[in-house]
Amino acid sequence: MHLVALGAHCGDVEFQAGAIAHKYAKAGHEVTFVHLTAGEKGNPPDISVEAYRDHKIQESEKAAAILGVKTMTLDYKDAELTLNDEVITRVATLMRQLKPDIVITHWENSIHPDHALCPKILQAAQLKAAIPGFELDGSDAQFYRIFHSENWEDMEGYVPDIFVDVSEEFDVYLEALSQYWFVMNSTSFRYYDYYKALGTMRGCVNRTKYAQTLKYPTGLNVRKGQYIPGFEL
């Protein structure tokens, strides 16, 4: 199985699903992080936007190596993502090349415009990637399922559908997060403390030490059939 996590900025998917990614990578599955932008406009005062982009990509590579996953950063600009045919086609083509079974991304509602666009881009790309009638660099059609994960900026209406025990993976997850300068040095938000506490809280609900959660796209958690799921007649 190939699991892809697609986020708006370097750091996002690490927060949201880094422990889950490590769990699946350890089990022998292929895992790839895709960052649409580097998140370079959150640069410290003493470093330029361009230099911080390079710095964040290097941090993402260090985090990925710790988690045992692959990573790539596309060349879109931070805080300038748009929903258009160019980005949809590019992501659809990339998904055909990567051939994921599952793609994890931001929740549908967010205070950050880049985050809110990711599921829209990914859903539109899902259609293009899956339908053979779209010719995309000669690649074969590929269907993938979409799940959402938790980011502190994306919590409006986020109610988890799935809890994943990541107790054995959590220390490695925290080590990966600590590779990011902004995680350890931000004066506007306590990223490290928040995600450690979030994993602890979700673990409490899951009856495990730590957990990370996922959510189905709106409407896709509905089950239809002749009996209660798991209680066949």
Side-chain angles (χ1 to χ4, degrees), residues 223-233:
R223 297 293 178 266
K224 299 177 181 179
Q226 299 179 10
Y227 45 78
I228 300 170
F231 294 89
E232 293 81 358
L233 296 174

Side-chain angles (χ1 to χ4, degrees), residues 57-93:
I57 291 173
Q58 292 170 11
E59 291 173 331
S60 73
E61 291 169 349
K62 291 177 182 177
I66 290 169
L67 295 170
V69 308
K70 300 175 183 177
T71 188
M72 64 178 66
T73 303
L74 304 189
D75 56 3
Y76 295 107
K77 294 182 179 180
D78 182 18
E80 297 182 35
L81 278 180
T82 56
L83 182 64
N84 58 38
D85 189 63
E86 185 276 329
V87 68
I88 292 168
T89 299
R90 186 173 181 187
V91 171
T93 303

